[in-house]
Amino acid sequence: MYPDPHAIYLNLSCLDFLLMELIPMSERVVEDGRIGEEERKGAVFKHVEGLGYRVGQGLAERFSQDRPRFTDVLDVMKFVCKDLWQLVFRKQIDNLKTNHRGVYVLTDSSFRLLMRMSTDVGGLDTITRAQPYLWFPCGVIRGALANLGVQATVVAEITGMPVAVFHVQTMRQDN
Amino acid sequence: MVVYSLYILNKAAGLIYQRDFNDGLQKLSSNDYLVLSGTFHAVHAIASRISPVPSSSGIEVLETDTFRLQCFQTLTGTKFLLISDPRQQSSDTILRRIYELYADYVIKNPFYQIEMPVRCELFDRHLAAYIKAIS
C-alpha cells in the first residue's frame, strides 16, 4: 500500500509477542505495594494508553504523508478505520457508526489481539482478563486523532471474544 | 486416517496436554498418563545416547500391530506424540499442523504460562476441528 523501496521486513509474530508482553511489563513497572487494586489498574491503564498515544501520533505523522488534506472529522475517522487499522492490524475496521454529534463507534469483529486468547474457564473470565490488552489500541487511536487535529477520548469494550468495540468521543461538534 | 490420541510433553518430561480422539480407547487415570509420558521421555533420551550413529535425534517412530506412535521433537525440546492407526500415512504433516496450532493458540495466548499444562479453549477447539476434518 505504501511501497517503500527501503523497507525492511519483519515477522509479524514479533509484534504479537511484544504487545502481549506489554501488559505484564507495565504491571511490573507500576508495581508499588502501597497502592490499592483500583489505583494500580488505573496506573497500568495510564502507562499502556500513554505508550499507545505516542505510537498513534507517530503513525499518523508518518502515514498521512502523501494524502490529500482531511476535509472533516469523519474523514479523519475513516483514515483511522481504514488506513491506520490496515497498517497495525492488517485489516480494516468492520463497522463505523456515528451519532453525528461527535461520538463514533468502531467495531472490529475479529480483533487481531483477541484472536488467540482463551483461558481454561472461558466466557466472562476471558473477557475481563483480556480488557487490558485493548488499552494500547485505545491510545493508538487517541494519539493518531490528536495529531490530526481531533481531540477525543477513547474507551474500548469486548462484547464477546474476539469482537472489540471502540467508543470515540470527540471534543468538537461535528457539523 | 484415524488418529487415536495426542500427547504433548514439555522440556522437563512433564505431560502438559493429553487428548483422546477415539471413543474406543481404554481410559487411563491421569497418573497413568504421567507415567507413560515420563517413560517415553526416558526411553527417548536413552535411545539417542546408545545410537551407533553420532548425534541421533532419538526415537521418531514406534510401530506395533495395533498402533503407530510418531514423535515430533521441536528445537525447543517440546515433544508431540501422535498415536494413530498403523496404516496412517502423513503423520508428519499432521504433527506439523498441530505444532502450528500450538504456536498460534497456546504460545501466542497471553494467559498461558510456558511449560505449564495447556488449558486453552481455542487450542482444544481448533485441534478438535482439525482432527475431525482429516478423519
Side-chain angles (χ1 to χ4, degrees):
Chain A
M1 196 173 74
Y2 296 94
D4 185 346
H6 304 295
I8 299 170
Y9 292 100
L10 184 67
N11 194 316
L12 200 60
S13 298
C14 297
L15 180 66
D16 289 340
F17 286 123
L18 187 67
L19 293 180
M20 255 171 65
E21 186 55 27
L22 200 62
I23 304 299
M25 182 207 76
S26 302
E27 284 172 356
R28 286 193 295 272
V29 165
V30 150
E31 187 55 41
D32 183 352
R34 294 164 295 171
I35 62 178
E37 178 66 32
E38 279 303 312
E39 280 182 22
R40 201 177 54 80
K41 263 181 86 170
V44 174
F45 170 79
K46 259 182 78 177
H47 188 247
V48 172
E49 210 262 359
L51 292 171
Y53 185 80
R54 177 64 189 86
V55 172
Q57 279 186 317
L59 286 173
E61 190 77 59
R62 169 75 175 78
F63 293 106
S64 60
Q65 258 182 340
D66 304 311
R67 278 195 47 121
R69 278 213 169 282
F70 292 106
T71 46
D72 58 6
V73 178
L74 187 61
D75 212 20
V76 178
M77 291 307 302
K78 285 198 199 149
F79 168 76
V80 169
C81 295
K82 292 200 189 144
D83 303 335
L84 198 72
W85 226 248
Q86 179 74 35
L87 282 164
V88 185
F89 301 113
R90 291 202 139 196
K91 62 183 287 287
Q92 300 185 352
I93 287 272
D94 297 302
N95 197 316
L96 171 66
K97 289 201 281 268
T98 175
N99 68 353
H100 297 292
R101 279 194 191 77
V103 177
Y104 298 85
V105 179
L106 285 65
T107 309
D108 190 331
S109 22
S110 47
F111 192 48
R112 200 187 152 77
L113 297 183
L114 299 178
M115 286 298 278
R116 308 261 159 80
M117 293 190 189
S118 59
T119 60
D120 48 344
V121 176
L124 191 59
D125 179 62
T126 319
I127 293 179
T128 336
R129 288 173 69 181
Q131 187 67 17
Y133 292 88
L134 295 184
W135 295 339
F136 183 80
C138 284
V140 172
I141 298 175
R142 194 169 68 90
L145 291 176
N147 218 8
L148 294 171
V150 179
Q151 296 299 318
T153 49
V154 185
V155 288
E157 61 164 341
I158 307 174
T159 46
M161 301 292 279
V163 183
V165 183
F166 296 89
H167 297 269
V168 182
Q169 172 90 51
T170 60
M171 307 301 185
R172 282 197 336 238
Q173 283 290 349
D174 176 31
N175 45 4
Chain B
M1 279 280 225
V2 182
V3 172
Y4 293 141
S5 44
L6 173 73
Y7 293 68
I8 305 182
L9 281 62
N10 66 9
K11 276 196 273 275
L15 182 69
I16 59 174
Y17 189 77
Q18 193 282 333
R19 178 96 174 256
D20 288 328
F21 299 108
N22 200 304
D23 294 326
L25 299 174
Q26 190 186 27
K27 286 265 170 279
L28 301 176
S29 74
S30 53
N31 201 42
D32 286 336
Y33 288 129
L34 288 171
V35 169
L36 267 178
S37 55
T39 311
F40 181 82
H41 180 95
V43 172
H44 188 272
I46 293 173
S48 62
R49 295 288 169 83
I50 66 173
S51 160
V53 178
S55 71
S56 158
S57 62
I59 298 175
E60 283 187 4
V61 178
L62 191 87
E63 266 191 39
T64 74
D65 290 334
T66 44
F67 71 89
R68 175 195 163 100
L69 180 148
Q70 183 135 355
C71 171
F72 173 60
Q73 183 170 26
T74 71
L75 292 166
T76 55
T78 315
K79 293 191 190 46
F80 290 81
L81 303 181
L82 192 75
I83 308 208
S84 60
D85 194 83
R87 290 152 297 166
Q88 170 82 355
Q89 302 294 327
S90 62
S91 294
D92 232 7
T93 357
I94 300 177
L95 275 169
R96 284 207 180 271
R97 178 78 187 112
I98 294 178
Y99 186 36
E100 249 184 67
L101 290 175
Y102 174 79
D104 276 343
Y105 296 106
V106 177
I107 301 296
K108 286 194 181 178
N109 188 349
F111 306 125
Y112 169 73
Q113 276 182 301
I114 308 273
E115 302 290 292
M116 288 285 113
V118 174
R119 283 194 230 291
C120 303
E121 201 195 320
L122 281 179
F123 177 64
D124 288 330
R125 222 191 300 163
H126 280 88
L127 185 66
Y130 173 63
I131 297 293
K132 199 152 169 237
I134 58 171
S135 297

